[in-house]
Amino acid sequence: MKANYGFADATGEYYITIDTDKCDGCGDCVTACPEKLFEVAADDYGKVVAMIREEVRIKLGYLCPGYEAACRKKEVNCHSACGQDAIKHSW
Amino acid sequence: MLVAGLDMGNLTTKAVLLLDGDLLAQSLIMNSEGGDIDGRRAIQAALEESFFDFENIAFLATTGSGRKSVTFSMKQRSPASCIAKGAKRLVPSARTVIDVGAETCTVVRVDDLGGLEDSLGNERCASGTGVFLETMAKLMRMPWQKMADASLEAKSVAEISSMCAIFAEQEVISHVHREPPTPMNDIIAGIHASMATRVAGLAKRMGIKPDVVFSGGVANNKGFARILEDTLATKLDIPEYPEFVSALGAALTAHDEAFRQAG
């Protein structure tokens, strides 16, 4: 199952997609994210997976610079940390 | 066995009661203080139509934005999974569900077994939600039911390029003051078209797979539903009481959980 966290407004679409079929709940993304946007918890179906924290979900566009910007900085981020390639950005 | 599902929405709270898995009663109340008070009020209203009392409820599941505020809830589920469950029960062939509520717009993909495949929500922006229509209704000085009828009467659709409620309001005002003024029905059709663009955009991002169900309180707006159908170029299945789909999903969850914990 793909869980899309984020929002779309007049400036664009800001969604982080976590593929719960690929995610194994390792928590590497939780430590890697410089803005601490992730957490690992049981979803509705009981599977322990990564998710975006509820408090930051509607501020995602402000807190995360997006895929290109994060990778250009060459710092450790959710994409570099995830061994399952379970995380995708829409911007 | 009696179970209940509560959808603690942003504007209204919906309660659905199931007796042995079949719909017994459902009720909608306007939110007041929220939390336990509104939860109890909604359930009481539904119980009124039955011979049961609060104590007879074996299991209660809550969903909606206020799902964690009900202290007597026995299980909380995300709106996306409840929308999928409720829609699948009402329309077994459903594979995509578009739910438009007062302040949320959610698109859900359901797999062949009724499980949640993908879900996309927009709870931040007013465009594509009931709030957009409420704002426009105040501007047009008519209730949304009248706007729905007016939209269906429109001969053409006025151009409202903006999806943002703030900018769209400005465009509507300039349509009203144009010389000659744009016909009221056309402006209203334009309002619905602008909103449909946002909703359809979200749905297309998800990928539309028939059959498509349109749920949530806004699905009662036949004028908007028609324009959304045209924008998506797909037939929309609208259940009889679309505002209860998520609460039904919560009630079905309660039913499943009650059996799981008993067996």
Side-chain angles (χ1 to χ4, degrees), chain B residues 112-136:
Chain B
D112 297 330
L113 298 166
L116 188 60
E117 193 179 290
D118 202 346
S119 71
L120 192 59
N122 194 19
E123 297 101 335
R124 186 193 161 85
C125 185
S127 74
T129 73
V131 171
F132 184 88
L133 292 177
E134 291 274 333
T135 309
M136 293 303 164

Side-chain angles (χ1 to χ4, degrees), chain B residues 19-85:
Chain B
L19 184 61
D20 299 329
D22 291 324
L23 181 66
L24 177 69
Q26 60 191 20
S27 185
L28 177 149
I29 55 128
M30 297 297 290
N31 290 350
S32 59
E33 292 137 87
D36 284 356
I37 293 170
D38 282 345
R40 219 171 245 276
R41 267 204 313 133
I43 293 175
Q44 281 304 132
L47 285 167
E48 223 110 285
E49 303 174 28
S50 73
F51 295 112
F52 294 98
D53 291 320
F54 199 90
E55 291 68 44
N56 301 129
I57 296 173
F59 206 98
L60 170 70
T62 56
T63 187
S65 60
R67 60 191 175 280
K68 294 185 183 149
S69 64
V70 178
T71 61
F72 53 85
S73 163
M74 293 157 86
K75 179 120 187 120
Q76 289 138 27
R77 274 275 171 112
S78 69
S81 58
C82 289
I83 288 165
K85 209 155 186 160

Side-chain angles (χ1 to χ4, degrees), chain B residues 85-93 239-242 244-245 248 252:
Chain B
K85 209 155 186 160
K88 190 79 173 40
R89 163 67 172 252
L90 294 170
V91 183
S93 59
E240 199 185 345
Y241 300 102
F244 286 104
V245 170
L248 174 62
L252 290 165

